[in-house]
Amino acid sequence: MQVAQIVFDQFTDIDVFLAWDLLNRVRRPDFSVRLLGTGSTHVSVSGLRIPMHGSIDEAKDADAVLFASGPATRTLMHDAAYLARFQLDPSRQWIGAMCSGSLLLGALGLLRGKRATTYPTAVEALRGLGVEVVDRPFVVEGHVATAAACLAGIDLASWTIETLLGSEVAAEVIAQIQPVGAAALGRKVA
Amino acid sequence: MQVAQIVFDQFTDIDVFLAWDLLNRVRRPDFSVRLLGTGSTHVSVSGLRIPMHGSIDEAKDADAVLFASGPATRTLMHDAAYLARFQLDPSRQWIGAMCSGSLLLGALGLLRGKRATTYPTAVEALRGLGVEVVDRPFVVEGHVATAAACLAGIDLASWTIETLLGSEVAAEVIAQIQPVGAAALGRKVA
């Protein structure tokens, strides 16, 4: 089982790394997480350069595909050559986006006539793609999920793990990151 | 004003990246965040290799120094040569740690006779360093702060920004990452 995270330059750090950390807490030999981009590395909006595991052309083979956010979504959403490389299939794949990453889902036609959420600064652009934008942290429509503002990344990662592996595995992962004193804790060396 | 984040191999991804993202949302020309390690790159526990901005020898010049967590803290806490490179001064610097990073603060003598929190799996080792371990997500003792479990990283980053720049700047940053529909939102392109 494979999760692909779609990354591009000027990505919002936490929108990639929160899901990345949580998904990597699933310790199963048949489960992997890969960062896919258009280059061999991409640089975050905070200036951190990270290596990719593969190309966005491979997203079509993943079981779940999660789009990052960042200012670049405003230009990539109009880049037909970029969009054409995804070849996603929402009948077979689980697809999600953080914040303004929803603009890419919209541009790919995955949200037409559907409800979705996004970051406040992206609401008008998402409406322009025929999407019903709702003021919620996390929205699921069939196989497509959108999360708004960074901490909703926990919902997105949790949804991904739950749809692929079940609610027990998801609960186990989320318990690990709760603050001490706030909940029963998973026991991981951290 | 400079914040140093101390990174080492097998660091817990989110314990570095949550603070990194939040601190980088402070947009002031006199404020910077640097990742310091012993190598030019370090690899997270999830296998992500990231570049460092400098060496741990430079931590003594930062206004705030935040230690990452990860399994390596268990060996680094006994590595006298490693610890000797920090030369931190808690009368002048603000010093914090995530989860098991508190073991390094303890080994540096910064928590002797003080209260601190840590990840459940590190409690016994921290007690062994003469620290009173309390079951709280976030503990401040003078210039030294400890945060337990990943989401308490929000408290640690917020404390750092508030002590260096005031509560208004900290509130502005934290508002940006709240889920949509949950709170008044900062307006950042994300």
Side-chain angles (χ1 to χ4, degrees), chain A residues 77-78 103 106-107 112 122-133:
Chain A
M77 68 184 277
H78 301 297
L103 294 174
R112 205 160 293 138
V123 167
E124 283 313 312
L126 190 58
R127 280 200 186 116
L129 295 167
V131 181
E132 183 189 338
V133 182

Side-chain angles (χ1 to χ4, degrees), chain A residues 4 6 36 55-65 86 88 93:
Chain A
I6 306 302
L36 305 183
S55 152
I56 57 170
D57 304 312
E58 301 163 53
K60 65 181 188 306
D61 302 320
D63 298 283
V65 181
F86 285 102
L88 302 184
Q93 297 176 291

Side-chain angles (χ1 to χ4, degrees), chain B residues 174-185:
Chain B
I174 299 305
Q176 289 179 13
I177 60 156
Q178 296 303 319
V180 163
L185 278 160

Side-chain angles (χ1 to χ4, degrees), chain B residues 122-143:
Chain B
V123 166
E124 283 313 311
L126 190 58
R127 279 199 187 120
L129 295 167
V131 181
E132 182 189 340
V133 182
V134 294
D135 188 26
R136 295 281 305 152
F138 189 63
V139 177
V140 179
E141 281 260 26
H143 275 223

Side-chain angles (χ1 to χ4, degrees), chain A residues 12-15 17-18 20-21 24-25 27 35 44-51 53 69-71 73-74 99-100 117-122 134-137 148-152 154 176-181 185-190, chain B residues 12-15 17-18 20-21 24-25 27 35 44-51 53 69-71 73-74 99-100 117-122 134-137 148-152 154 176-181 185-190:
Chain A
T12 304
D13 299 67
I14 200 64
D15 284 349
F17 295 130
L18 186 52
W20 164 260
D21 177 287
N24 273 287
R25 288 170 191 258
R27 305 278 185 206
L35 304 177
S44 79
V45 74
S46 300
L48 192 69
R49 182 180 293 279
I50 59 167
H53 300 108
S69 74
T73 54
R74 276 46 167 213
C99 298
S100 67
T117 187
T118 191
Y119 207 69
T121 51
V134 295
D135 188 28
R136 296 280 305 153
C150 310
L151 291 184
I154 298 168
Q176 289 180 13
I177 61 157
Q178 296 304 319
V180 164
L185 279 159
R187 291 290 183 272
K188 175 182 151 285
V189 176
Chain B
T12 304
D13 300 67
I14 201 62
D15 283 349
F17 294 130
L18 186 51
W20 163 260
D21 177 288
N24 273 287
R25 287 170 191 257
R27 303 283 187 202
L35 304 177
S44 79
V45 73
S46 300
L48 191 69
R49 182 179 294 278
I50 59 167
H53 300 109
S69 73
T73 54
R74 275 50 166 210
C99 297
S100 66
T117 186
T118 192
Y119 207 69
T121 51
V134 294
D135 188 26
R136 295 281 305 152
C150 311
L151 291 183
I154 298 168
Q176 289 179 13
I177 60 156
Q178 296 303 319
V180 163
L185 278 160
R187 290 292 182 271
K188 174 184 151 285
V189 176

Side-chain angles (χ1 to χ4, degrees), chain A:
Chain A
M1 219 161 295
Q2 200 181 100
V3 181
Q5 288 190 260
I6 306 302
V7 181
F8 31 77
D9 279 335
Q10 285 195 282
F11 68 87
T12 304
D13 299 67
I14 200 64
D15 284 349
V16 169
F17 295 130
L18 186 52
W20 164 260
D21 177 287
L22 291 172
L23 293 166
N24 273 287
R25 288 170 191 258
V26 175
R27 305 278 185 206
R28 290 167 67 132
D30 60 338
F31 185 86
S32 68
V33 192
R34 300 176 75 226
L35 304 177
L36 305 183
T38 55
S40 61
T41 64
H42 283 292
V43 181
S44 79
V45 74
S46 300
L48 192 69
R49 182 180 293 279
I50 59 167
M52 296 295 107
H53 300 108
S55 152
I56 57 170
D57 304 312
E58 301 163 53
K60 65 181 188 306
D61 302 320
D63 298 283
V65 181
L66 304 181
F67 286 79
S69 74
T73 54
R74 276 46 167 213
T75 47
L76 291 174
M77 68 184 277
H78 301 297
D79 184 338
Y82 176 79
L83 297 170
R85 293 173 65 180
F86 285 102
Q87 305 292 326
L88 302 184
D89 178 357
S91 74
R92 181 176 53 80
Q93 297 176 291
W94 302 88
I95 302 167
M98 283 304 306
C99 298
S100 67
S102 60
L103 294 174
L104 298 177
L105 299 193
L108 287 166
L110 295 165
L111 292 173
R112 205 160 293 138
K114 292 186 174 168
R115 296 179 322 130
T117 187
T118 191
Y119 207 69
T121 51
V123 167
E124 283 313 312
L126 190 58
R127 280 200 186 116
L129 295 167
V131 181
E132 183 189 338
V133 182
V134 295
D135 188 28
R136 296 280 305 153
F138 188 63
V139 177
V140 179
E141 283 260 25
H143 275 222
V144 181
T146 48
C150 310
L151 291 184
I154 298 168
D155 293 318
L156 186 63
S158 178
W159 170 81
T160 305
I161 297 169
E162 188 170 334
T163 52
L164 296 178
L165 299 169
S167 57
E168 202 170 309
V169 179
E172 202 178 288
V173 165
I174 300 304
Q176 289 180 13
I177 61 157
Q178 296 304 319
V180 164
L185 279 159
R187 291 290 183 272
K188 175 182 151 285
V189 176

